[in-house]
Amino acid sequence: SHGVLNTIWSQWLCGSTLAPPSYCFVAFPPRAKDGLVVFGKNSARPRDEVQEVVYFSAADHEPESKVECTYISIDQVPRTHAIVISRPAWLWGAEMGANEHGVCIANEAVSTREPAAETEALLGMDLVRLGLERGETAKEALDVIVSLLEEHGQGGNYYEDASSCHSFQSSYLIVDRHEAWVLETIGKYWAAEKVTEGVKCICNRLSLTTKMDAEHPELRNYAQSQGWWTGEDEFNFSEVFSPADDHPDCCAGKDSLEKQEESITVQTMIDVLRDKASGVCIDSESFLTTASTVSVLPQNRSSPCIHYFTGTPDPSRSIFKPFIFVDDVKLVPKAQSPCFGDDDPAKKEPRFQEKPDRRHELYKAHEWARAVLERGQEQGHKLRKTMLELEKQGLEAMEEILASSDSPDLAEVGDLFYDCVDTEIKFFK
């Protein structure tokens, strides 16, 4: 019985952790301007965690090869797409990112009635990256994620923390140029809703209700077997699976996006992500928005998708820098954390026995800026103004690319993110 008690105790420890309050958004035309789908996410994570921005080119893989995810290895596919991701530097997966086909995915840790498994399996963040590497459309990425869930399950520590396990169920916002899918999961069970208009926000609570466009074939039987659904009432996903003490309406974010009078642009999305008063930009004792992203997906295929990343904490004190997929993307080591290879404490068991310094050059340079902005005063105000000016130059250059009928100069576009990071670091020095 000792083992059983231990399991119950550790599940309680694990399950009682509050899911970090991240927010993901998408806006479709005509709510979004100029035939553009606009996607955004604030990644709320433990305050001192570093996120890096990494590009991986498309690749072919040998038959029978494996891919090592954060905790487990799974079968590799013959070909993976090029991706750019923002991820906590200690893990394999991603908090958010995009692929060369204009698919964007972000995930949320969610609290549900059923505690998440501590057993190491796929993390929600691994599934974000796997969906991007393997899906050419939002729907394909969704199919990839749910079939991997079925095969491998989800579980394991969401934080680089040896002292306790924080595991969560996960939800996803999966977007391409034409549609979005909201996917919410509990273990291997799931439901999804397709969205093609208006605005949608997901956060750290379940949001699906009675409109489900796809679901796990056993979902309702499972809910019934747990005694969470009578089988008589209308099946409402959030009501059935949310924790008893939950208040399902969480989306401070949705209001801040919906109440925008004008049509939604990249700038609108950035402003929403920077808003601390609404709670969308978290800066609390335990959590901080450690990285943010905004993507613009033109419904017209002749225009390129543009993905903006901060690569630094607190979007209200960060610069959103553009990235466009081309064949020859210049890698940006300054936004990448040091690599510890097999010696990484995250890869050895027992895990996380020490915490290496994972700060990259951009992060270190930005720490100086954060300190100056924190103090306010004249230097802080001047710095903020200059940072916004830098960002605006990037945004305006991207607007020109989208407005122009010629295709962009590929060499320049390939160095885009590199140049922005470089300029930012020089400027902070």
Side-chain angles (χ1 to χ4, degrees):
S1 74
H2 185 68
V4 174
L5 279 177
N6 261 345
T7 312
I8 292 170
W9 172 242
S10 62
Q11 277 198 337
W12 181 81
L13 267 181
C14 232
S16 63
T17 317
L18 278 178
S22 296
Y23 283 92
C24 310
F25 302 94
V26 65
F28 283 91
R31 280 297 278 117
K33 208 169 147 197
D34 302 334
L36 304 174
V37 178
V38 186
F39 165 87
K41 176 177 178 186
N42 268 352
S43 170
R45 299 281 302 167
R47 286 193 72 89
D48 58 348
E49 187 179 75
V50 177
Q51 270 195 49
E52 57 179 349
V53 179
V54 201
Y55 166 82
F56 295 97
S57 52
D60 295 308
H61 306 279
E62 293 292 314
E64 311 286 299
S65 58
K66 297 276 189 194
V67 53
E68 266 187 53
C69 303
T70 304
Y71 298 129
I72 62 167
S73 286
I74 65 170
D75 291 336
Q76 185 52 288
V77 287
R79 184 165 176 83
T80 48
H81 308 309
I83 61 170
V84 61
I85 55 177
S86 185
R87 66 169 179 191
W90 61 272
L91 53 78
W92 179 84
E95 272 282 292
M96 50 214 178
N99 72 17
E100 59 185 307
H101 302 290
V103 177
C104 295
I105 309 180
N107 81 317
E108 296 280 344
V110 285
S111 306
T112 67
R113 224 167 171 166
E114 175 161 319
E118 267 187 57
T119 317
E120 292 187 346
L122 290 172
L123 284 175
M125 293 167 282
D126 292 339
L127 288 159
V128 170
R129 178 167 170 183
L130 291 161
L132 291 171
E133 287 186 340
R134 302 178 180 198
E136 260 186 59
T137 62
K139 180 62 170 67
E140 254 183 48
L142 176 128
D143 294 339
V144 164
I145 292 172
V146 300
S147 67
L148 289 168
L149 263 182
E150 183 72 33
E151 194 179 343
H152 303 284
Q154 57 181 323
N157 203 342
Y158 262 61
Y159 301 151
E160 187 183 15
D161 180 359
S163 62
S164 67
C165 172
H166 312 263
S167 72
F168 301 102
Q169 311 289 11
S170 54
S171 70
Y172 304 82
L173 184 58
I174 309 170
V175 182
D176 63 23
R177 295 175 188 255
H178 306 292
E179 62 185 35
W181 286 84
V182 175
L183 167 64
E184 300 191 336
T185 68
I186 286 111
K188 66 174 187 174
Y189 299 99
W190 58 274
E193 177 189 1
K194 181 174 160 177
V195 182
T196 53
E197 56 183 25
V199 300
K200 190 76 188 171
C201 162
I202 69 166
C203 59
N204 60 351
R205 296 191 172 112
L206 297 176
S207 68
L208 299 179
T209 55
T210 53
K211 179 183 180 295
M212 289 171 281
D213 298 299
E215 64 186 76
H216 188 287
E218 292 298 311
L219 177 72
R220 296 173 192 228
N221 293 348
Y222 175 67
Q224 237 174 315
S225 72
Q226 297 292 311
W228 297 337
W229 181 54
T230 58
E232 306 287 306
D233 316 333
E234 186 176 21
F235 188 80
N236 178 318
F237 187 83
S238 296
E239 278 177 14
V240 170
F241 291 108
S242 291
D245 54 357
D246 202 42
H247 311 292
D249 188 33
C250 73
C251 223
K254 187 160 184 289
D255 301 342
S256 54
L257 199 59
E258 282 199 336
K259 66 169 190 260
Q260 299 294 334
E261 305 278 313
E262 279 143 40
S263 48
I264 292 159
T265 61
V266 174
Q267 189 62 60
T268 326
M269 189 65 83
I270 289 176
D271 294 342
V272 165
L273 295 182
R274 283 185 167 144
D275 188 1
K276 287 192 173 163
S278 70
V280 169
C281 179
I282 191 81
D283 186 351
S284 70
E285 238 170 273
S286 15
F287 296 116
L288 181 64
T289 299
T290 53
S292 306
T293 183
V294 171
S295 289
V296 191
L297 315 174
Q299 290 188 313
N300 169 0
R301 284 200 159 272
S302 61
S303 289
C305 296
I306 302 172
H307 311 285
Y308 299 86
F309 293 92
T310 57
T312 54
D314 190 347
S316 70
R317 295 173 175 163
S318 290
I319 298 175
F320 283 82
K321 298 166 279 292
F323 175 98
I324 294 177
F325 282 94
V326 288
D327 287 340
D328 201 14
V329 167
K330 189 168 183 181
L331 298 177
V332 187
K334 291 177 178 169
Q336 275 178 260
S337 294
C339 178
F340 301 98
D342 292 338
D343 292 334
D344 197 312
K347 292 195 177 129
K348 293 196 246 182
E349 297 195 46
R351 298 194 197 274
F352 314 130
Q353 295 306 298
E354 46 193 291
K355 262 192 179 177
D357 181 359
R358 300 191 187 273
R359 293 174 304 161
H360 43 76
E361 273 189 63
L362 173 64
Y363 188 97
K364 288 178 178 170
H366 183 258
E367 280 181 312
W368 168 83
R370 274 163 75 193
V372 172
L373 292 166
E374 194 83 34
R375 290 198 295 271
Q377 293 158 339
E378 197 183 337
Q379 193 191 5
H381 297 310
K382 260 163 86 175
L383 176 61
R384 184 171 165 73
K385 212 171 138 190
T386 319
M387 284 170 75
L388 289 173
E389 199 49 53
L390 268 179
E391 180 179 272
K392 193 168 156 219
Q393 288 169 13
L395 289 169
E396 284 172 357
M398 292 307 101
E399 266 175 40
E400 275 172 39
I401 287 180
L402 289 177
S404 137
S405 48
D406 312 328
S407 38
D409 173 351
L410 293 182
E412 270 187 34
V413 170
D415 295 356
L416 193 59
F417 190 70
Y418 181 96
D419 291 341
C420 291
V421 168
D422 218 44
T423 309
E424 182 175 338
I425 290 174
K426 285 194 178 108
F427 171 72
F428 290 149
K429 286 180 174 167

